[in-house]
Amino acid sequence: MIKLVQTLLSSISVGSLYALIALGYTMVYGTLKFINFAHASIFMLGAWFSAIIAAALLANGVTGIPAIVLSILIVMVICTTLGFVIERLAYRPLRDAPRLNVLITAIGVALLIENVAALNDVKIPGTQTTIHGFGTQPGKMPELLANADLFSIPLGSGTVVVDKVDALILGLSICLMIVLEFIIYNTRLGAAMRAASHDARTAALMGIPVDRTISITFIIGTSLAAAAGFLYVMKYPSINPPVAVTWGLLGLKAFVAAVVGGIGNVRGAVVGGLLIGILEQAGAAYLSPHFRDVYVFALLIFVLLVRPTGIFGSTAVEKV
Amino acid sequence: MALLEIRNLNVHYGAIHALQGINVTVEQGKIVTLLGANGAGKSTTLRAISGLLRQVKGDILYQGRSLFGRPPHDIVRDGIAQVPEGRGIFPDLSVLENLNLGAYIRSDKKGIEEDRERALTLFPRIRERLQQKAGTLSGGEQQMLATARALLARPKLLLLDEPSLGLAPQIVLTIFRIIREINETGTTILLVEQNAHMALQAAHYAYVLECGRITMHDDAKALAESDAVKKAYLGG
């Protein structure tokens, strides 16, 4: 019983991380109709920047809740700015190009980010400027929250422990998702985003600046990946080097979450993320921890066989 | 000065020369119709006006200024709204959200409210369905919604692409009655149609488009009487 509740708790925590990343994939797919392979790289940058900023804050005597709030805000601003630049330079010029071109560009962007991030200090010839990369060694997220238990509930013969970090992950993810839900379903911008994602040409006929709307959608997705990066290193403080395959694998699993939920569907991404979290954690707890990735991809195969549009995906019906 | 003047418009889709130098003039306050069969270039003309096409030559003057090179959303701001072919309803958005998107370029809440009331009075069937998803509407209701939505942009020039397509005769009559009502309130209309009979009844002036060229143009009444049009488009 305790094991069940504890597994469920960690499932929700891990699941909301997947959901945050999956939202970015699904939003970009919804408007730009391509899979942004560089999304996992943004997540990786979010994780690394979090560690650097948190360390800098701690060194300046900022601790506790202010440090958490500040780091997450700064990380989101940095990654969002990067997302804006990427969209502007790499994807926007390809608006009318075949989707395959954009897909390949996304892979290129991912490789570029990874490899620049993996640089050590590089002097730019002829100047005093040095680029500091994250290098090829693992990093460490300083402890912002003393990794204590938030509370423990006695249950039967033992106790269920709720970790502060898990509570933070859950709380922040829910907040971000509520904000996103509000933007998409209750604002003029959200209506424009949904319109542009359904039919960009008709959206333009409504006077919607489609290019700008798409850019905004893109950078919202990016900011969520940054937040996920922060929460991830809060939970798992040893950070893999930028070129490690773990980032790609995490991104891929979040992408599976988006597909399982129905790619292009925002609510689907959240449900898919949670589902993946539960499957992975329950599989690791009850079957074998060695196959945690296998469960996820088995679910993908199952969904693609049974319901290829995903849980919330629908095949569009055209009326004449 | 004409509200809209298309001068020697040429459009290429790859190797296909879709419009081969057409000239069309739309006078302020009139209903002008562009008749022609499938593939004659009617929708292409409207797309060119709305700024949706890249490979265009010639010129399109609106209130004396060229529309070329301007993004579509900017052209809407200038007062040209289009109800596109196939109506362009967003099926996953509610009817009300669809309507409000029509007023996307405006921020005068009170004016929008008034115009929405006016549009819903023109189309009472839409009012009953405001909270429904637009995809659940019938074809006729979708046409009404699309037209009402375009009116919310408070256009000076309304472009209608085959409003009668696929609709029951009774609904076509209603739509054309409303098109005339809209025109009587001062909105200039450029109407693209295959249904020459209805279009010539409603319009003041008409152009016939065949394979990318204007082959005839005259007052709508005169054109309706001409033998060539009778034979080709009016079944007699």
Side-chain angles (χ1 to χ4, degrees):
Chain A
M1 185 64 191
I2 291 171
K3 191 177 178 191
L4 179 71
V5 176
Q6 205 73 64
T7 307
L8 206 61
L9 279 174
S10 62
S11 305
I12 294 172
S13 162
V14 173
S16 21
L17 283 179
Y18 282 134
L20 281 182
I21 309 173
L23 281 168
Y25 279 112
T26 229
M27 288 171 77
V28 170
Y29 185 85
T31 45
L32 284 164
K33 303 283 179 267
F34 81 99
I35 295 146
N36 180 20
F37 281 110
H39 196 58
S41 310
I42 296 285
F43 167 65
M44 177 273 290
L45 286 182
W48 272 93
F49 277 123
S50 297
I52 286 171
I53 289 156
L57 285 172
L58 286 179
N60 286 300
V62 188
T63 54
I65 308 281
I68 292 176
V69 175
L70 269 180
S71 347
I72 193 158
L73 284 179
I74 297 173
V75 168
M76 283 173 83
V77 168
I78 293 177
C79 290
T80 306
T81 312
L82 267 170
F84 174 78
V85 173
I86 292 169
E87 203 278 328
R88 196 66 210 233
L89 297 182
Y91 300 148
R92 195 187 276 205
L94 297 174
R95 222 44 125 220
D96 298 322
R99 294 299 85 183
L100 189 60
N101 299 18
V102 194
L103 203 71
I104 294 165
T105 306
I107 296 172
V109 171
L111 289 172
L112 181 73
I113 293 179
E114 276 171 30
N115 287 287
V116 170
L119 291 174
N120 286 307
D121 300 349
V122 176
K123 272 218 166 62
I124 296 177
T127 65
Q128 293 299 314
T129 328
T130 316
I131 300 176
H132 302 282
F134 300 133
T136 46
Q137 297 303 310
K140 180 111 183 79
M141 175 73 174
E143 210 164 72
L144 287 181
L145 270 179
N147 200 359
D149 309 334
L150 184 63
F151 48 80
S152 34
I153 314 158
L155 189 83
S157 55
T159 47
V160 171
V161 178
V162 180
D163 197 87
K164 270 188 190 167
V165 170
D166 284 341
L168 175 73
I169 291 178
L170 191 60
L172 193 64
S173 308
I174 291 176
C175 285
L176 288 172
M177 285 169 200
I178 290 174
V179 171
L180 184 68
E181 172 93 7
F182 180 81
I183 292 176
I184 293 180
Y185 291 100
N186 293 292
T187 65
R188 211 169 79 107
L189 171 67
M193 281 159 64
R194 282 181 290 151
S197 109
H198 181 265
D199 179 351
R201 182 178 263 203
T202 308
L205 289 179
M206 305 292 110
I208 296 170
V210 174
D211 264 347
R212 196 188 317 154
T213 306
I214 289 176
S215 303
I216 293 173
T217 313
F218 185 89
I219 63 177
I220 290 177
T222 310
S223 71
L224 293 177
F230 172 81
L231 293 172
Y232 180 76
V233 290
M234 286 293 285
K235 190 169 170 66
Y236 307 106
S238 13
I239 314 172
N240 282 303
V243 285
V245 283
T246 19
W247 302 112
L249 188 61
L250 279 164
L252 211 51
K253 284 198 267 183
F255 174 62
V256 171
V259 172
V260 166
I263 190 111
N265 186 304
V266 170
R267 287 169 190 166
V270 175
V271 172
L274 290 174
L275 208 62
I276 297 277
I278 292 171
L279 192 71
E280 191 189 88
Q281 296 297 310
Y286 291 100
L287 296 171
S288 155
H290 300 298
F291 296 114
R292 50 174 78 212
D293 301 334
V294 176
Y295 311 133
V296 174
F297 293 108
L299 176 69
L300 175 67
I301 293 170
F302 178 75
V303 167
L304 289 181
L305 284 174
V306 177
R307 196 177 157 80
T309 52
I311 301 170
F312 287 89
S314 58
T315 39
V317 183
E318 296 257 328
K319 235 178 208 151
V320 186
Chain B
M1 185 181 63
L3 182 63
L4 185 86
E5 221 183 319
I6 300 175
R7 286 185 187 165
N8 192 26
L9 180 65
N10 279 274
V11 176
H12 291 265
Y13 292 125
I16 299 161
H17 199 172
L19 287 179
Q20 307 174 13
I22 68 164
N23 292 288
V24 171
T25 304
V26 180
E27 295 291 342
Q28 174 88 43
K30 301 283 195 241
I31 300 180
V32 174
T33 185
L34 202 55
L35 303 173
N38 252 340
K42 306 186 300 293
S43 299
T44 302
T45 309
L46 294 194
R47 283 187 201 128
I49 298 170
S50 283
L52 294 172
L53 301 179
R54 292 276 159 84
Q55 304 292 324
V56 283
K57 283 190 212 101
D59 209 352
I60 300 177
L61 300 176
Y62 172 69
Q63 297 181 318
R65 283 176 57 206
S66 175
L67 290 176
F68 276 11
R70 300 185 47 204
H73 60 91
D74 222 27
I75 292 174
V76 182
R77 267 175 203 282
D78 261 16
I80 304 182
Q82 182 181 157
V83 179
E85 198 177 10
R87 292 145 205 149
I89 288 299
F90 300 108
D92 292 338
L93 273 66
S94 75
V95 171
L96 183 62
E97 285 176 320
N98 266 282
L99 264 182
N100 288 342
L101 276 180
Y104 187 85
I105 52 166
R106 298 169 60 185
S107 49
D108 55 323
K109 277 212 172 109
K110 235 183 114 195
I112 296 173
E113 195 84 32
E114 283 169 21
D115 285 0
R116 191 165 52 219
E117 255 329 288
R118 203 170 303 145
L120 289 174
T121 314
L122 278 178
F123 301 102
R125 281 170 70 173
I126 299 300
R127 190 192 295 274
E128 299 157 24
R129 313 202 186 291
L130 284 179
Q131 300 309 325
Q132 257 171 257
K133 279 202 173 174
T136 63
L137 298 184
S138 73
E141 287 163 346
Q142 289 192 3
Q143 183 61 51
M144 293 177 187
L145 172 57
T147 313
R149 184 178 63 180
L151 288 180
L152 278 185
R154 207 179 257 187
K156 297 190 189 86
L157 174 63
L158 181 60
L159 311 176
L160 297 173
D161 198 343
E162 303 223 26
S164 76
L165 190 71
L167 301 183
Q170 200 55 45
I171 298 178
V172 173
L173 284 176
T174 311
I175 298 270
F176 271 89
R177 175 175 54 76
I178 293 168
I179 290 174
R180 277 194 295 265
E181 280 178 42
I182 293 168
N183 175 246
E184 277 156 20
T185 62
T187 309
T188 309
I189 293 174
L190 177 55
L191 169 69
V192 152
E193 260 300 345
Q194 286 195 55
N195 187 337
H197 182 70
M198 289 303 300
L200 286 174
Q201 269 185 21
H204 300 100
Y205 202 85
Y207 290 82
V208 175
L209 192 57
E210 281 173 24
C211 301
R213 291 175 207 271
I214 300 283
T215 51
M216 277 179 273
H217 62 97
D218 205 341
D219 283 339
K221 279 205 186 79
L223 213 56
E225 294 303 317
S226 87
D227 289 339
V229 168
K230 270 187 181 166
K231 208 167 178 182
Y233 296 99
L234 301 173

